[in-house]
Amino acid sequence: MLRPTPFARSKRKLAVGFSAFALALVAVPALAFAQAPPSKGTDMEIDPDAPPPPPAEPPPLPPAQEGDWGVGGSDDEGKFAPSGKTGAKKREEDEKAEEAKAENYRTLPPREVGVDMVIGFGETRDVLSDTNPTDVTVASFVPYFFWRLNETWAIGARVPFATGSVDGPIENPVDSSVLGNIEVSVHARFKLMRRMTLPVSLAIAVPTAQGDMFPEQDAAGARPQALLNQAVAGARGWEEQAPYTPNRLGATPSVGFAYDTRLLHFAASTKFELMIKTGGGAPESEAAGTLHSPAYNWVTNASFFYDFLDGMISPGLRAWLAVSQQPVTKGTSDYSGAQFVIEPDVNSTIPVGKSLAVRAGLGFLVPLGGPLGGSNGATINGFRLRAGLAF
């Protein structure tokens, strides 16, 4: 058996020492940097069901500098940020501003005086001498006064008169002047909702008109006067007959609807003229003619106007349908029935200070068919002029 030499024992010891030194180099850093395991005691406060803490808020952005992209909007180089409210908020703001405006920002002074003139020319039919149409030329004037007492009630008065010539198929041409039935009226305007109103009125025509279709022998001029008043009603398109029918008491109720904005004005109404005989002559026999009492005239009209230059120019259109029973007929000569008329119109209201306003208007009356528009061989037109002063 061989014994290890001293050199071999030294070599084995050196190898064991080197291995121990290498293990120390690995173990010492691990022990130096190792962390103790978490405690398992009863004072542990971690809740696994608790929500995570909120994330930290980001730091605020630096303030925008004038000239940056998206700032402004008045520059042409791409500053596109809108100014003010937009979309639904903008529409809501505009609606509130519109509602805050006065419904009638051009409120007129409460009183008005003026004249409504119609120049009529053409032909009418005289039912008592109906062989040919009767040539007429008339100028009718209606001075009026209107007083608005408050926001609801108003009163008015009109005094119609006319002058002109009548050239009948039998009678010689006659120049004459006549007074119509003086009219007084009361008006009311009830508010339905914003910009919408309900106007109603009642007019009474006192029987002051001159003329008689069946005069006494000593009143030869009465018949041409009656024909002249009849021609005036025709020139005005039968829009009103009560002021121009002699020997009749007229009562005219009316009701309507009005819608007014700052620029647009629409109105529609209907009225019924009831004309009750109060005097005058009578036909000698049924063959000479027939008087109808009461006579009537039912008128339904509508109008539309649009303002320019704050109402200083207001073009529009008026139209109406009149259905009437004429006061006098003779056999088959009966010109009662329906009549449709249109009137292109232009109005003007010019304020003069705060307490005055000048008003004016002109229109042209055009009957479409019917007794006034050629269905019976006679046509009459009218040219209207209006002038008034509100104070």
Side-chain angles (χ1 to χ4, degrees):
M1 179 176 182
L2 295 177
R3 291 176 180 265
T5 65
F7 176 78
R9 286 194 297 267
S10 298
K11 186 177 180 180
R12 188 181 299 115
K13 291 179 180 180
L14 182 62
V16 172
F18 180 79
S19 299
F21 179 74
L23 288 173
L25 289 177
V26 174
V28 169
L31 292 174
F33 292 100
Q35 295 183 2
S39 173
K40 296 182 180 179
T42 58
D43 57 349
M44 188 174 181
E45 297 182 358
I46 297 176
D47 185 1
D49 296 327
E57 294 185 2
L61 296 175
Q65 300 295 326
E66 185 175 358
D68 291 346
W69 189 91
V71 178
S74 59
D75 190 84
D76 295 334
E77 297 298 326
K79 281 66 176 182
F80 301 112
S83 59
K85 297 181 179 179
T86 60
K89 291 185 177 180
K90 178 63 174 175
R91 290 192 297 271
E92 181 179 355
E93 186 179 72
D94 293 342
E95 290 174 359
K96 290 182 178 180
E98 182 66 21
E99 291 178 359
K101 294 178 182 179
E103 293 188 42
N104 187 359
Y105 72 107
R106 288 194 302 267
T107 302
L108 293 174
R111 295 170 295 274
E112 182 176 346
V113 62
V115 61
D116 176 34
M117 179 179 70
V118 172
I119 300 174
F121 49 91
E123 301 167 325
T124 63
R125 284 286 185 173
D126 177 3
V127 296
L128 302 184
S129 300
D130 200 21
T131 55
N132 289 303
T134 299
D135 295 327
V136 294
T137 303
V138 296
S140 65
F141 306 87
V142 183
Y144 65 87
F145 174 74
F146 184 83
W147 189 358
R148 190 175 63 254
L149 302 176
N150 51 43
E151 292 185 358
T152 302
W153 296 97
I155 56 175
R158 302 192 303 167
V159 183
F161 65 92
T163 184
S165 64
V166 177
D167 185 4
I170 298 178
E171 293 87 351
N172 293 324
V174 176
D175 296 330
S176 183
S177 296
V178 293
L179 177 68
N181 291 328
I182 297 174
E183 180 187 87
V184 294
S185 59
V186 59
H187 307 258
R189 183 177 289 268
F190 302 102
K191 185 174 181 178
L192 300 177
M193 57 186 301
R194 182 173 174 80
R195 306 189 186 285
M196 296 184 186
T197 56
L198 179 75
V200 298
S201 67
L202 175 64
I204 301 296
V206 182
T208 57
Q210 295 173 295
D212 194 343
M213 292 297 290
F214 302 99
E216 301 292 337
Q217 291 185 353
D218 57 351
R223 190 161 181 274
Q225 288 179 324
L227 291 174
L228 186 60
N229 264 321
Q230 176 183 314
V232 170
R236 290 178 174 267
W238 283 1
E239 187 179 14
E240 46 193 7
Q241 294 191 36
Y244 308 107
T245 305
N247 305 307
R248 302 277 173 152
L249 174 66
T252 307
S254 72
V255 62
F257 168 82
Y259 178 80
D260 297 284
T261 68
R262 295 170 68 87
L263 298 175
L264 182 149
H265 308 277
F266 172 79
S269 66
T270 186
K271 67 179 181 180
F272 190 81
E273 293 182 305
L274 189 65
M275 295 165 280
I276 303 171
K277 189 176 183 334
T278 58
E284 297 179 353
S285 64
E286 186 175 347
T290 303
L291 284 172
H292 298 273
S293 183
Y296 63 83
N297 186 37
W298 181 20
V299 182
T300 301
N301 61 39
S303 64
F304 173 85
F305 288 89
Y306 194 88
D307 290 348
F308 294 93
L309 301 176
D310 286 341
M312 288 191 287
I313 300 177
S314 301
L317 179 69
R318 301 176 64 241
W320 60 89
L321 175 67
V323 180
S324 71
Q325 169 61 65
Q326 293 296 296
V328 179
T329 61
K330 180 182 178 182
T332 59
S333 296
D334 184 357
Y335 299 113
S336 304
Q339 178 63 59
F340 185 70
V341 181
I342 63 172
E343 181 184 0
D345 215 330
V346 178
N347 293 331
S348 178
T349 300
I350 302 175
V352 182
K354 294 183 178 180
S355 58
L356 289 176
V358 176
R359 309 195 71 188
L362 58 89
F364 188 74
L365 290 84
V366 183
L368 302 179
L372 303 178
S375 64
N376 56 10
T379 301
I380 186 169
N381 296 99
F383 180 74
R384 187 191 304 270
L385 292 171
R386 289 185 301 273
L389 179 66
F391 60 96

